[in-house]
Amino acid sequence: HHVPRAALPDAAAGDQLSGSRLSWDEDDRGWLAGARRIDSPNFDARPPRVVIDLLVLHHISLPPDRFSGDAVERLFTNRLTARDEPALAELRELRVSTHFFIRRRGELFQFVDCGQRAWHAGTSRFRNRERCNDFSIGIELEGTGSVPYTDSQYRRLAQLVPLLCTAYPLKWVAGHSDIAPGRKYDPGPTFDWSRIAPVLKASSLERPF
């Protein structure tokens, strides 16, 4: 009987945080040194004079409920093919991206310059503002919303969030479900907001929901 990878405990091997200090790339503003950079073509310019003040948390697993392979990276770089299993092949026409992706062991990927508009939120609304992609930074967590996130992922968030706040005037944090209620459910009920509450408070970020 096949057990979905998401239902299995996380591998016992060490996480990906040790020795991976994060800092802003001095030669390429908007990119983090210490993250694995994979350039996505799915971005465009933010509107003029926009204030980047919202952080949006998502979850993703591809194929659904599986935490292995490179399908998420291929989705964000338009490299899914018709030869992929059906659950992936039907996504190959999508053009989506995120700024950051945190895998189960804490490995951090960056796909889009934070100064640019990644295509992560879709139809969305926050505090009477539409088009949240315009003014937000997106973080995808490898997960399903039905299994707990890992200690490594929470620790990586605790590294990442304060660093983002040093470079951008972030004031708010939301789940995708907060800004697209009824359409999206991530990061889901297994995301423990209390785990990152001290980090949010220290960074003066609020979740107004």
Side-chain angles (χ1 to χ4, degrees):
H1 177 68
H2 173 68
V3 179
R5 175 63 181 82
L8 300 175
D10 293 299
D15 64 30
Q16 300 293 317
L17 277 73
S18 57
S20 58
R21 297 180 60 185
L22 300 179
S23 62
W24 290 106
D25 191 326
E26 295 181 0
D27 299 320
D28 207 347
R29 290 188 177 184
W31 293 90
L32 281 180
R36 181 178 172 190
R37 177 171 173 170
I38 301 178
D39 288 69
S40 171
N42 303 330
F43 71 92
D44 56 4
R46 297 182 188 269
R49 297 177 297 280
V50 71
V51 176
I52 302 170
D53 60 6
L54 175 65
L55 195 61
V56 180
L57 302 184
H58 307 255
H59 71 55
I60 189 170
S61 62
L62 291 178
D65 299 326
R66 191 181 304 171
F67 302 153
S68 60
D70 65 351
V72 172
E73 295 96 292
R74 290 191 291 122
L75 172 67
F76 292 147
T77 53
N78 306 338
R79 291 184 294 116
L80 295 177
T81 72
R83 294 189 299 274
D84 284 312
E85 58 187 270
L88 295 179
E90 65 185 21
L91 301 176
R92 68 183 186 275
E93 300 303 322
L94 283 181
R95 294 296 178 260
V96 292
S97 60
T98 189
H99 294 97
F100 297 100
F101 173 45
I102 302 176
R103 301 209 68 162
R104 302 294 287 182
R105 294 182 183 174
E107 186 179 7
L108 180 66
F109 293 76
Q110 184 172 359
F111 293 90
V112 175
D113 181 317
C114 289
Q116 301 289 336
R117 178 169 56 188
W119 303 344
H120 61 96
T123 303
S124 50
R125 182 182 182 88
F126 178 76
R127 294 174 64 87
N128 297 318
R129 289 182 289 169
E130 308 282 348
R131 298 169 57 91
C132 292
N133 285 341
D134 289 354
F135 52 88
S136 68
I137 291 174
I139 300 175
E140 295 271 1
L141 299 164
E142 189 172 34
T144 67
S146 59
V147 294
Y149 294 88
T150 67
D151 290 342
S152 297
Q153 288 177 305
Y154 288 111
R155 289 199 298 272
R156 181 62 86 186
L157 273 175
Q159 285 185 343
L160 178 58
V161 169
L163 197 56
L164 293 175
C165 290
T166 66
Y168 298 94
L170 295 167
K171 294 175 57 178
W172 316 102
V173 62
H176 201 184
S177 57
D178 295 322
I179 62 173
R183 186 176 71 85
K184 294 294 182 179
Y185 302 93
D186 47 321
T190 57
F191 183 77
D192 187 354
W193 287 94
S194 70
R195 290 281 300 269
I196 63 167
V199 175
L200 301 180
K201 183 177 181 180
S203 299
S204 298
L205 290 179
E206 297 181 37
R207 182 178 178 230
F209 299 96

